[in-house]
Amino acid sequence: MNRYPEIEKIYKDIRDLNIQGATNIAIATFEGMKLYGDISSIQDKELFYKEFFEVAERLAHARANEPLATNGVKYVKYFFSKKFPVLPELATMKRELVSLTDDFLDVIGQSKKNLIEKNWRFFSNYNKIFTHCHSSTVVSLIKSIKDNKGNFEVVCTETRPRFQGRITAKSLLEARIKTTLIADSAAESFVINRGSIPVEIVFIGCDEMTQLGHAINKIGSWGVAMAAHYADKPFYVVTPFLKLDVESFHENIEIEIRESKELWKDAPKGLHMYNPAFEVIDSGLITGYVTELGILKPGDIKKSAQENYPWLFTS
């Protein structure tokens, strides 16, 4: 990779969180793949194919808990191999690989669109919504539910230490939705109705989901889910199926641990810090998944994925 400083910069930007959000990381991964096709001087088609996907895998795995990017690489490899059991000439290969990266981005966009269109009416009776961290898909769903309701409002968390919840707050305000931002530490109290707004339902996005129906999302999500479970409030994970990691179950899930300086840049010498970015929300705490295939129980995830996205299960 050192031979390609432009690609190495993309890798570093993903790893250092200059590029955030599952879709943005997938887009950056594909940009790196396309860039490799443009700048590589390799003329041997087998060597080009091998190195192309080495670059793709490195970018897609720059950070843990980003299956959307890794599934994108899998999509490109699967459908390319299906169309070309034998490698074509180099020019054809480059053209087709670029086309497939664009196709996957279209699949992402369409899955999000279908998710909103199929499901928003199911939640139209809810007026007090709680969400944690930032998910553009959750924000889109909330906007669709609002539908000019006068008493509609949302509570969102600040999401320390990088304050992604402020992105959520700004997006909702721009949509003219009454929004209250709270400290992360106040989340559970609000969910059980000890805050200033009587929460009716909780939506979160997720960075990853497993075949067994567990979700991996921003740290703090488990506490919110547990509070909703305690208070008998519905707790939904809003996500396209393309965030399914078929290799993850529960015990083997790798959680991204970020640098301690995120928490305290000038911390006292000798202080130990631990900064997990995500955590597992157990399937038993999840009311359902809001997906492009409809609203599904956690136990239905594997079967639905096998039926609708069989290529996810290819090695």
Side-chain angles (χ1 to χ4, degrees):
M1 190 77 84
N2 291 334
R3 289 181 291 144
Y4 308 108
E6 302 97 326
I7 297 174
E8 187 65 22
K9 184 180 184 305
I10 296 174
Y11 173 84
K12 190 173 185 300
D13 282 342
I14 296 173
R15 187 194 62 195
D16 294 345
L17 305 179
N18 295 325
I19 299 173
Q20 295 189 56
T23 301
N24 290 333
I25 290 172
I27 291 171
T29 297
F30 290 158
E31 286 177 351
M33 293 159 69
K34 292 177 181 179
L35 186 58
Y36 172 80
D38 290 338
I39 65 180
S40 173
S41 59
I42 294 175
Q43 296 301 309
D44 181 280
K45 62 184 182 181
E46 291 185 359
L47 184 57
F48 174 89
Y49 181 85
K50 178 176 179 291
E51 191 164 270
F52 177 88
F53 281 106
E54 286 176 351
V55 167
E57 293 289 348
R58 176 171 165 77
L59 292 171
H61 288 90
R63 286 175 53 200
N65 311 113
E66 292 295 344
L68 187 62
T70 57
N71 285 337
V73 174
K74 184 180 289 188
Y75 176 95
V76 173
K77 182 179 283 189
Y78 174 81
F79 286 101
F80 182 87
S81 299
K82 190 173 182 180
K83 186 172 183 177
F84 298 105
V86 178
L87 292 179
E89 63 179 19
L90 194 59
T92 301
M93 186 187 306
K94 288 183 177 182
R95 184 171 60 250
E96 187 64 24
L97 289 171
V98 168
S99 177
L100 285 168
T101 61
D102 291 336
D103 288 348
F104 187 73
L105 292 177
D106 289 341
V107 171
I108 293 174
Q110 190 60 50
S111 67
K112 290 184 177 182
K113 181 180 179 182
N114 291 344
L115 184 156
I116 304 302
E117 290 179 349
K118 283 188 176 183
N119 299 303
W120 73 266
R121 291 174 183 82
F122 181 83
F123 303 105
S124 60
N125 290 330
Y126 291 101
N127 296 308
K128 312 296 182 187
I129 295 173
F130 186 100
T131 189
H132 176 54
C133 197
H134 177 69
S135 162
S136 60
T137 310
V138 168
V139 170
S140 295
L141 179 62
I142 290 172
K143 288 179 181 178
S144 297
I145 296 169
K146 180 180 183 293
D147 193 27
N148 297 319
K149 295 177 182 177
N151 60 341
F152 189 85
E153 56 187 315
V154 178
V155 180
C156 60
T157 55
E158 58 184 351
T159 324
R160 295 185 180 190
R162 287 185 170 264
F163 301 103
Q164 297 100 318
R166 295 179 183 179
I167 303 172
T168 299
K170 288 178 181 178
S171 299
L172 294 172
L173 288 174
E174 288 170 0
R176 299 180 183 276
I177 293 173
K178 185 177 180 181
T179 304
T180 298
L181 181 73
I182 63 171
D184 289 356
S185 53
E188 292 83 359
S189 290
F190 265 75
V191 173
I192 64 172
N193 284 352
R194 291 180 182 171
S196 60
I197 296 166
V199 171
E200 298 171 348
I201 188 171
V202 179
F203 291 130
I204 66 164
C206 79
D207 293 82
E208 179 181 342
M209 61 179 178
T210 77
Q211 289 191 58
L212 299 180
H214 308 304
I216 294 85
N217 196 51
K218 181 67 179 176
I219 194 76
S221 298
W222 186 89
V224 171
M226 195 65 184
H229 181 73
Y230 172 83
D232 199 24
K233 303 279 180 70
F235 180 94
Y236 286 93
V237 179
V238 183
T239 181
F241 255 86
L242 297 171
K243 290 187 179 180
L244 174 65
D245 185 346
V246 299
E247 305 299 328
S248 289
F249 293 92
H250 194 299
E251 299 80 5
N252 69 329
I253 295 173
E254 177 187 1
I255 296 296
E256 179 183 355
I257 307 300
R258 294 183 181 165
E259 293 182 320
S260 297
K261 67 181 181 181
E262 262 194 358
L263 299 180
W264 195 350
K265 186 176 180 180
D266 302 313
K269 186 176 180 180
L271 176 66
H272 296 283
M273 289 184 281
Y274 183 67
N275 185 23
F278 307 104
E279 64 184 348
V280 179
I281 303 103
D282 303 88
S283 60
L285 299 176
I286 299 170
T287 306
Y289 279 87
V290 183
T291 78
E292 68 273 27
L293 304 179
I295 298 171
L296 303 172
K297 293 293 184 183
D300 296 331
I301 295 297
K302 181 178 180 179
K303 180 181 178 182
S304 296
Q306 289 173 328
E307 291 174 350
N308 293 275
Y309 297 103
W311 56 267
L312 284 172
F313 296 85
T314 61
S315 59

